[in-house]
Every structure is written in structure tokens, then in C-alpha cells.
């Protein structure tokens, strides 16, 4: 049996958010999400943000999220910007597109213990994006939902909710043998 099991494969087009529900269960403690083809279709530059969804289908949007990330921007800029948020209603910067033609983003996220009701849900993520007039950049980060409750899914939404986006989100259960 494989240690990586595909649970859900969702593709969206022209949406401001997507809810991927009923993917976290007691079967796995670690999940891998592979996000590809994230590109804004309207609006301006937009970060994709991550929230968890509880088993009753409610998106957790309370100010119980902390996240931090560090970017390594294109060689042209030599910048290393930090994005930090505490007491936020989301995990920030899991994907990015500046709305420029030819730009896109892809990323891999690991989500730890989302279904457990006794410990916090954590995420680590990395994303890369390309902008035609700027070059390639990459970002690595971590996030946590400081709430001890069972989560069964996640929401990806556009920063501010004003930019529509396309994207594909594949969720895998990751078996960790001891």
C-alpha cells in the first residue's frame, strides 16, 4: 500500500474562494496539498490565503491564526521580504499571482493533525511564482490555527476576496509509518 493516497482533486476557474470539504479524517495525521496553476483572472495582485473548515462545514474565520513566511525574490531584486501575521483570520501567502499575463503560482503544503480535537492544526508551505516582467520568486512559511477542534477541510481564498482565480488543488493523505 502506498504511503501517499489521493483523497481529492479539485479544479476551479474564475472563483474568489474554494471550499474543499471532508478530506481530513482520522485515517491520517499528515496531509499534503499540491496546488498548481494558481492565476488571478480578474482584479489585481492577490495572495491566496488558507483557512480550515470544521466537520459541520463552517469556515473558521476567527482571529486564531498565526503565520510567517520568508520570500527569496528574483535575482534582479535580491530581496528577502517577510510576511507575518498574528491573531489573523487566515494563514497568509500560500500562493501568489500579481495578475500579470503569463504569471502563475504553484505550491506544496503539509497540514498536520487537522482532525485531532486535542491539539492545534499546523501547516508548512512553500510556493513559487513567476511574473513575466519580474522573474521567479519562491516563499516558505508556517502557520497554525490556535484552536483545539477537529477540522475536516480547508478553504483557499483570494486576498480581500476581490480577485477571481483559477487553480487545481490535490489533497493527499500521507501515511507515516513508525
Amino acid at each position: 500500500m502506498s504511503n501517499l493516497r489521493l483523497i481529492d482533486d479539485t479544479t476551479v476557474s474564475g472563483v474568489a474562494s474554494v471550499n474543499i470539504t471532508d478530506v481530513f479524517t482520522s485515517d491520517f495525521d499528515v496531509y499534503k496539498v499540491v496546488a498548481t496553476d494558481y492565476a488571478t483572472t480578474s482584479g489585481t495582485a492577490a495572495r491566496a490565503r488558507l483557512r480550515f473548515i470544521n466537520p459541520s462545514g463552517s469556515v473558521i474565520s476567527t482571529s486564531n491564526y498565526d503565520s510567517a513566511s520568508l520570500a527569496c525574490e528574483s535575482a534582479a531584486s535580491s530581496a528577502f521580504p517577510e510576511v507575518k501575521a498574528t491573531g489573523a483570520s487566515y494563514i497568509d501567502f500560500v500562493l501568489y499571482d500579481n495578475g500579470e499575463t503569463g504569471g502563475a503560482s504553484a505550491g506544496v503544503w503539509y497540514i498536520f493533525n487537522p482532525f485531532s480535537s486535542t491539539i492545534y492544526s499546523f501547516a508548512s508551505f512553500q510556493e513559487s511564482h513567476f511574473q513575466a516582467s519580474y522573474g521567479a520568486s519562491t516563499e516558505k512559511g508556517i502557520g497554525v490555527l490556535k484552536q483545539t477542534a477537529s477540522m475536516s477541510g480547508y478553504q483557499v481564498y483570494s486576498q480581500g476576496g476581490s480577485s477571481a482565480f483559477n487553480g487545481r488543488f490535490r489533497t493527499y493523505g500521507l501515511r507515516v509509518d513508525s
Side-chain angles (χ1 to χ4, degrees):
M1 180 178 191
S2 172
N3 287 342
L4 193 63
R5 186 187 324 153
L6 179 63
I7 297 169
D8 184 79
D9 188 345
T10 298
T11 301
V12 295
S13 179
V15 300
S17 68
V18 57
N19 290 355
I20 300 174
T21 59
D22 302 321
V23 291
F24 304 147
T25 66
S26 60
D27 290 346
F28 299 96
D29 292 326
V30 181
Y31 294 83
K32 178 179 183 178
V33 177
V34 178
T36 55
D37 305 320
Y38 176 79
T40 56
T41 58
S42 67
T44 59
R47 298 175 184 167
R49 292 177 168 165
L50 176 68
R51 290 177 170 156
F52 290 105
I53 299 173
N54 68 23
S56 65
S58 298
V59 175
I60 307 303
S61 58
T62 57
S63 298
N64 291 331
Y65 294 90
D66 291 349
S67 61
S69 61
L70 179 66
C72 179
E73 293 192 343
S74 70
S77 77
S78 301
F80 296 92
E82 297 174 356
V83 175
K84 295 182 259 185
T86 58
S89 60
Y90 50 80
I91 294 173
D92 203 9
F93 222 124
V94 293
L95 296 166
Y96 176 76
D97 182 54
N98 72 342
E100 178 182 87
T101 301
S105 178
V108 174
W109 318 327
Y110 288 94
I111 298 173
F112 303 91
N113 303 306
F115 198 71
S116 174
S117 61
T118 60
I119 55 178
Y120 293 164
S121 298
F122 286 86
S124 66
F125 57 90
Q126 58 189 35
E127 71 86 29
S128 295
H129 59 272
F130 180 79
Q131 303 167 36
S133 64
Y134 186 71
S137 297
T138 191
E139 182 109 15
K140 290 187 77 104
I142 56 173
V144 61
L145 171 59
K146 297 186 302 183
Q147 181 174 321
T148 53
S150 183
M151 300 297 143
S152 62
Y154 61 94
Q155 178 189 64
V156 178
Y157 77 100
S158 172
Q159 169 188 359
S162 61
S163 295
F165 62 87
N166 298 337
R168 182 177 182 191
F169 303 90
R170 286 170 284 180
T171 307
Y172 298 87
L174 180 59
R175 178 91 48 225
V176 180
D177 294 325
S178 52

